[in-house]
């Protein structure tokens, strides 16, 4: 029994060390493959760069939290509404409309293209819904959601919620760059980056309001945007086939629409500032519309 008592701590330390070594090797291999892909495929490289710009925008948005003592509920609602408006316009003009144009090139009837777009939107929304229900996370206002959410630390539930929110944004960037319209893809990435600035600030301030330290709150905000370049690369790689591209565009739009309706609008309306949230949404929508039509034309 004494021998086993001495062996077990060493075994645990060895297993932990092996686990970290495996993780480092996996990350190193993944980075090597990413570099090779970026060297040989321009659209993957552009998607990664655009995702990094969006991540940098999120990080920049957290910096005012270094000096801010609090975020008023009215401003919080307006910022969430602004982000929702940008995402709503991006999903329509940068994803759904291009997908419809691509489908109509091969459509044999006037109904075929719109029906395919509608099916892809619903599929993207369903996949995001399934992910939302299966992965434990916590909204800043609505509370915990997902399977066995209470078994995780509350800070990790917030982190997972932020990651879930950023997945469709990163995918949308990658899917856009998988097509031939680099100008339109850049416009989409610009719009997402713009809405990521207030989003980073909201994330950091919401964590501060929930009782977390300033250092942890800003750190989580800084790291939360890194999922966007990762998902952008995945989207760009998975949808290089022209036949699959319009499906990916519309599915990314469906995932974004789900996030807007399920998370951003309810969060922005929860504390009684519906008018501020609506004004923010209208401003974000109009801004993204102008960007898309002026730069993407």
């Amino acid at each position: 029994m004494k021998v086993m008592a001495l062996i077990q701590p060493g075994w645990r330390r060895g297993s932990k060390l092996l686990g970290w070594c495996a993780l480092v090797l996996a990350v190193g291999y993944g980075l090597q493959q990413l570099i090779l892909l970026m060297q040989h495929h321009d659209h993957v490289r552009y998607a990664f760069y655009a995702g990094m710009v969006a991540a940098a925008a999120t990080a920049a948005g957290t910096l005012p939290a270094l000096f801010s003592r609090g975020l008023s509920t009215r401003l919080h609602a307006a910022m969430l509404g602004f982000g929702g408006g940008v995402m709503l316009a991006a999903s329509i003009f940068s994803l759904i409309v291009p997908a419809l144009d691509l489908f109509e090139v091969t459509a044999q009837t006037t109904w075929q293209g719109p029906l395919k777009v509608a099916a892809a939107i619903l599929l993207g929304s369903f996949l995001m819904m399934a992910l939302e229900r299966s992965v434990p996370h916590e909204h800043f206002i609505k509370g915990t959601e997902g399977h066995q959410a209470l078994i995780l630390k509350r800070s990790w539930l917030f982190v997972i919620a932020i990651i879930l929110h950023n997945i469709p944004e990163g995918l949308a960037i990658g899917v856009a760059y998988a097509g031939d319209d680099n100008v339109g893809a850049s416009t989409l990435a610009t719009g997402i980056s713009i809405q990521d600035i207030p989003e980073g600030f909201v994330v950091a301030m919401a964590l501060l309001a929930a009782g977390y330290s300033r250092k942890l709150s800003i750190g989580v905000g800084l790291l939360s945007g890194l999922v966007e370049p990762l998902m952008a690369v995945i989207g760009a790689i998975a949808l290089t086939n022209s036949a699959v591209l319009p499906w990916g565009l519309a599915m990314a739009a469906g995932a974004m629409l789900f996030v807007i309706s399920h998370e951003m609008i309810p969060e922005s309306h929860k504390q009684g500032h519906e008018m501020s949230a609506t004004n923010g949404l209208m401003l974000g929508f109009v801004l993204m519309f102008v960007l898309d039509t002026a730069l993407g034309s």
Side-chain angles (χ1 to χ4, degrees), residues 75 77-89 191 194-195 198 275-291:
L75 181 58
M79 285 184 166
L80 285 175
F82 176 82
V86 170
M87 290 177 65
L88 181 60
I194 289 172
Q195 71 95 23
M275 186 58 68
S276 296
T278 301
N279 290 335
L281 186 144
M282 296 299 295
L283 179 62
F285 185 92
V286 169
L287 176 63
M288 186 61 202
F289 167 75
V290 171
L291 284 174

Side-chain angles (χ1 to χ4, degrees), residues 43-60:
H43 68 284
V44 175
R45 182 167 67 254
Y46 295 149
F48 176 76
Y49 291 158
M52 287 301 297
V53 171
T58 303

Side-chain angles (χ1 to χ4, degrees), residues 202-289:
V202 167
V203 166
M205 296 306 297
L207 287 169
L208 279 172
Y212 295 101
S213 68
R214 194 176 298 272
K215 184 177 179 180
L216 176 63
S217 300
I218 294 173
V220 169
L222 289 170
L223 294 174
S224 65
L226 293 179
V227 70
E228 293 192 41
L230 174 62
M231 299 311 297
V233 168
I234 292 174
I237 294 171
L239 296 166
T240 53
N241 189 319
S242 59
V244 181
L245 178 60
W247 288 94
L249 288 168
M251 286 174 63
M256 289 178 69
L257 289 172
F258 177 85
V259 170
I260 295 166
S261 178
H262 183 69
E263 294 187 9
M264 302 190 76
I265 291 177
E267 293 277 349
S268 65
H269 286 208
K270 198 73 173 182
Q271 295 182 325
H273 298 296
E274 294 89 349
M275 186 58 68
S276 296
T278 301
N279 290 335
L281 186 144
M282 296 299 295
L283 179 62
F285 185 92
V286 169
L287 176 63
M288 186 61 202
F289 167 75

Side-chain angles (χ1 to χ4, degrees), residues 146-160:
H147 180 62
Q148 295 181 337
L150 296 177
I151 65 174
L152 295 177
K153 290 184 178 180
R154 193 161 176 252
S155 57
W156 281 107
L157 295 176
F158 280 125
V159 172
I160 294 171

Side-chain angles (χ1 to χ4, degrees), residues 21-41:
C21 288
L23 178 62
V24 170
L25 289 173
V27 171
Y29 178 77
L31 289 174
Q32 180 190 27
Q33 294 302 308
L34 174 61
I35 292 171
L36 290 174
L37 284 168
M38 290 172 62
Q39 288 176 342
H40 294 91
H41 301 283

